């Protein structure tokens, strides 16, 4: 049997190899924490986000905390996040994301999370809301995925269903994105030849919109003889109170177009055009994986909008108001029966 001339060297070599293997294994299995900050229960976007990371077999734990949606609770929310000390934060919606990250030009950056990567979904206008100064690269600790089809594409989709000249719109003063969308609609109406009829919701002593004023606002819009009620990306209108909004419009025989998915799929909006929530969630998870697994700096990862959109038609609502979609739309849309 051959004997090693320097057995102590072999022993040291084996120890070094073993240390390298165990160190690599530990690095591979080190768990990262993602904290979901949501103003609502998890939906298909978050389910798709979780599924993507699970299928990537990444060592990631996902926790969730709720946000009230009230700006006065922002400081307490930031404190909760700091105590949780996650490796990455997922946010849903403009209001929630701003409460966590703050505007890019805030004079009080210490009041917000600036040192943890944030990946958002369903932020209507990242630049207009002052969340980002630019989309690519974002240049700060925030990136994400917007869900809205370009406004001109939405308007063309409405006109494909039925030509119109007057569009109803509700602005919630509590949600800055609803004002941004209104201004964009008015500007677009000047070139695409339509008028926007606006109702601004009154607010209570705390500055919160009055829910009881919704039916009155919608009925005023219906009485003004608009062709459609445009329900934009508003948590208050299109999620929290979507049943009240769509049922009131339905009772008034007022057709509704929605820029988000759940109000069509789970309530009574007539139809909508948007990025599919599953795709939004997967794309956001891909960006999270770039940060956590690939160690890419968040400030270099573009904030983007998906380029493929889904058209969804709620046929029971169409039957109720006797406004059936044309065949060319039925050939490309998903129809809820």
């Amino acid at each position: 049997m051959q004997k090693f001339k320097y057995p102590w060297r072999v022993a040291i070599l084996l120890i070094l190899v073993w240390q390298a293997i165990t160190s690599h294994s530990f690095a591979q299995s080190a768990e990262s924490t993602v904290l979901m900050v949501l103003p609502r229960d998890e939906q298909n976007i978050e389910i798709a986000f979780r599924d993507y990371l699970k299928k990537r077999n990444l060592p990631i734990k996902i926790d969730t905390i709720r946000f009230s949606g009230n700006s006065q609770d922002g400081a307490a929310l930031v404190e909760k996040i700091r105590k949780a000390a996650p490796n990455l934060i997922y946010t849903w919606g403009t209001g929630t994301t701003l409460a966590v990250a703050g505007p890019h030009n805030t004079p009080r950056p210490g009041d917000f999370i600036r040192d943890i990567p944030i990946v958002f979904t369903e932020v209507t206008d990242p630049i207009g809301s002052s969340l980002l100064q630019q989309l690519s690269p974002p240049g700060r600790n925030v990136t994400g995925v917007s869900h809205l089809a370009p406004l001109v594409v939405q308007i063309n989709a409405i006109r494909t269903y039925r030509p119109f000249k007057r569009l109803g719109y509700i602005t919630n003063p509590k949600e800055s994105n609803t004002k941004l969308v209104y201004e964009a609609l008015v500007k677009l109406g000047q070139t695409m030849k339509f008028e926007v009829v606006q109702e601004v919701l009154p607010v209570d002593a705390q500055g919160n919109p009055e829910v009881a004023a919704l039916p009155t606002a919608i009925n005023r819009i219906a009485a003004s003889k608009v062709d459609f009620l445009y329900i934009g990306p508003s948590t208050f209108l299109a999620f929290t109170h979507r049943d009240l909004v769509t049922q009131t419009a339905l009772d008034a025989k007022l057709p509704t177009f929605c820029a988000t998915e759940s109000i069509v799929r789970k309530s009574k909006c007539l139809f909508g055009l948007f990025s599919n929530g599953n795709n939004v969630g997967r794309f956001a998870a891909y960006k999270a994986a770039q940060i956590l697994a690939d160690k890419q700096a968040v400030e270099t990862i573009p904030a983007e909008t998906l380029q493929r959109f889904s058209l969804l038609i709620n046929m029971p609502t169409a039957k109720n108001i006797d406004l059936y979609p044309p065949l060319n739309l039925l050939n490309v849309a998903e129809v809820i029966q």
Side-chain angles (χ1 to χ4, degrees):
M1 179 183 295
Q2 182 179 2
K3 294 183 179 180
F4 291 108
K5 187 174 182 180
Y6 303 105
W8 58 271
R9 293 184 179 177
V10 175
I12 291 175
L13 179 61
L14 290 173
I15 290 170
L16 291 174
V17 170
W18 174 253
Q19 287 179 337
I21 292 172
T22 55
S23 174
H24 177 74
S25 177
F26 178 81
Q28 289 294 312
S29 62
E31 188 175 66
S32 297
T33 299
V34 173
L35 186 63
M36 285 186 173
V37 183
L38 305 173
R40 50 153 180 76
D41 293 334
E42 290 189 26
Q43 303 290 323
N44 62 335
I45 295 179
E46 288 75 42
I47 293 170
F49 182 91
R50 287 177 178 273
D51 285 347
Y52 177 92
L53 294 177
K54 184 177 180 180
K55 289 176 181 176
R56 284 283 303 268
N57 199 30
L58 299 175
I60 293 173
K61 179 181 71 170
I62 300 178
D63 295 327
T64 304
I65 61 173
R66 291 291 291 269
F67 175 50
S68 67
N70 296 323
S71 56
Q72 58 265 33
D73 296 331
L77 174 67
V78 169
E79 185 61 26
K80 285 182 182 178
I81 293 171
R82 292 196 190 282
K83 287 182 178 179
N87 301 100
L88 182 140
I89 303 165
Y90 166 100
T91 59
W92 181 92
T94 302
T96 300
T97 306
L98 282 171
V100 175
H104 71 84
N105 54 354
T106 178
R108 302 186 307 275
D111 292 349
F112 303 98
I113 303 295
R114 316 291 277 199
D115 55 348
I116 301 173
I118 298 169
V119 176
F120 66 73
T121 58
E122 302 222 13
V123 170
T124 302
D125 186 349
I127 293 177
S129 64
S130 296
L131 180 65
L132 297 177
Q133 192 169 15
Q134 59 190 30
L135 298 178
S136 181
R140 60 167 301 193
N141 66 316
V142 180
T143 188
V145 184
S146 294
H147 59 300
L148 293 183
L151 202 52
V152 65
V153 177
Q154 295 181 50
I155 295 303
N156 284 331
I158 299 173
R159 283 188 164 158
T160 303
Y161 200 111
R162 187 176 75 174
F164 72 92
K165 293 183 178 180
R166 289 166 64 83
L167 204 61
Y169 187 81
I170 299 173
T171 297
N172 174 15
K174 189 73 172 181
E175 295 179 291
S176 60
N177 54 304
T178 64
K179 182 180 179 182
L180 292 171
V181 172
Y182 170 70
E183 292 170 350
L185 281 170
V186 170
K187 184 176 181 180
L188 191 60
Q190 295 171 358
T191 58
M192 297 187 73
K193 308 302 180 185
F194 65 87
E195 178 187 357
V196 183
V197 177
Q198 179 190 213
E199 283 286 331
V200 180
L201 290 177
V203 296
D204 60 21
Q206 288 72 45
N208 297 313
E210 296 181 359
V211 178
L214 273 172
T216 301
I218 293 169
N219 285 321
R220 277 205 203 104
I221 288 174
S224 68
K225 305 299 181 185
V226 301
D227 300 293
F228 284 94
L229 173 63
Y230 178 99
I231 304 172
S234 159
T235 303
F236 183 81
L237 297 168
F239 185 81
T240 308
H241 301 291
R242 63 192 178 197
D243 291 340
L244 176 60
V245 171
T246 56
Q247 185 61 57
T248 303
L250 198 59
D251 293 341
K253 302 298 181 182
L254 176 59
T256 47
F257 172 87
C258 297
T260 54
E261 182 176 3
S262 67
I263 190 172
V264 186
R265 194 174 295 281
K266 297 187 177 183
S267 196
K268 298 176 182 179
C269 181
L270 175 61
F271 74 120
L273 183 75
F274 35 75
S275 293
N276 179 274
N278 293 325
N279 294 336
V280 171
R282 283 191 287 265
F283 197 19
Y286 168 72
K287 292 182 182 295
Q290 284 182 294
I291 297 165
L292 295 175
D294 302 335
K295 305 304 179 184
Q296 188 168 339
V298 59
E299 59 267 20
T300 68
I301 300 174
E304 300 176 80
T305 299
L306 292 170
Q307 298 303 307
R308 296 182 63 182
F309 306 104
S310 300
L311 181 67
L312 184 62
I313 298 173
N314 192 323
M315 193 59 73
T317 297
K319 292 177 181 177
N320 190 293
I321 61 176
D322 196 25
L323 188 63
Y324 293 90
L327 288 177
N328 59 330
L329 273 189
L330 290 176
N331 288 335
V332 297
E334 178 187 352
V335 177
I336 300 172
Q337 298 291 349

